[in-house]
């Protein structure tokens, strides 16, 4: 497929140059060798530009798009593409107005966690019970830092992890 883009670029350049009548283009000239080099690079560039559209949407990501999402969200290489897409979709849906119970749980799900939260209003604390973890974070400290970011700033979290 890439070869088609390279050849297409070469043919378009040859057509433009032939119309000028300035160059001898019989297949043996230095100009044609130079065009071959340009067409390799321009064809590859066109190919990459056309692939960009596929990586604009989570449903059509190719390998490069999945790698870019992994870098963007610092997700582990071992995470499945389905989990990665789910987490990316959830993270893209977080807004600064999500400090409702449902919004906090959605934010936690965006980190790969299924959790339950119970607030103690009198003490200003919240118990966060982790029911499942997709392993998006390398350490528990990183995971808890993410979870803290999902909570309103005035709440002090108490994390309960599965045994």
């Amino acid at each position: 497929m890439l070869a088609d883009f390279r050849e297409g670029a070469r043919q378009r350049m040859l057509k433009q140059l032939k119309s000028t009548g300035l160059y001898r283009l019989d297949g043996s000239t230095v100009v044609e060798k130079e065009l071959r080099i340009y067409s390799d690079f321009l064809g590859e560039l066109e190919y990459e530009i056309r692939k960009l559209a596929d990586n604009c949407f989570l449903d059509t990501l190719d390998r490069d798009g999945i790698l870019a999402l992994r870098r963007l969200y610092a997700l582990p290489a071992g995470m499945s593409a389905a989990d990665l897409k789910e987490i990316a979709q959830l993270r893209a849906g977080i807004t600064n107005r999500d400090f409702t119970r449902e919004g906090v749980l959605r934010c936690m799900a965006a980190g790969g966690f299924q959790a339950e939260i119970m607030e103690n209003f009198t003490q200003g604390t919240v118990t966060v019970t982790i029911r499942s973890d997709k392993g998006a974070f390398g350490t528990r400290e990183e995971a808890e830092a993410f979870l803290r970011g999902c909570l309103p700033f005035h709440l002090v979290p108490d994390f309960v992890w599965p045994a």
Side-chain angles (χ1 to χ4, degrees), residues 54-67:
D54 289 339
N55 288 320
C56 290
F57 303 98
L58 292 173
D59 291 339
T60 58
L61 289 178
D62 64 10
R63 184 178 177 277
D64 292 334
I66 287 172
L67 291 174

Side-chain angles (χ1 to χ4, degrees), residues 5 38 42 57 62 64 67 95-97 109 123 130 149:
F5 284 95
Y38 288 141
L42 292 173
F57 303 98
D62 64 10
D64 292 334
L67 291 174
T95 71
N96 63 350
R97 297 181 182 187
Q123 294 182 357
I130 306 301

Side-chain angles (χ1 to χ4, degrees), residues 3 8 11 13 18 38-41 48 53 56-57 61-62 66-67 74 83 105 109 114 120 125 129-130 135 150:
Q11 290 300 323
M13 287 189 287
K18 281 181 185 177
Y38 288 141
S39 68
D40 285 349
F41 288 110
E48 292 297 326
C56 290
F57 303 98
L61 289 178
D62 64 10
I66 287 172
L67 291 174
D83 284 347
L105 291 172
Q114 292 302 315
N120 182 331
T125 63
T129 305
I130 306 301
C150 293

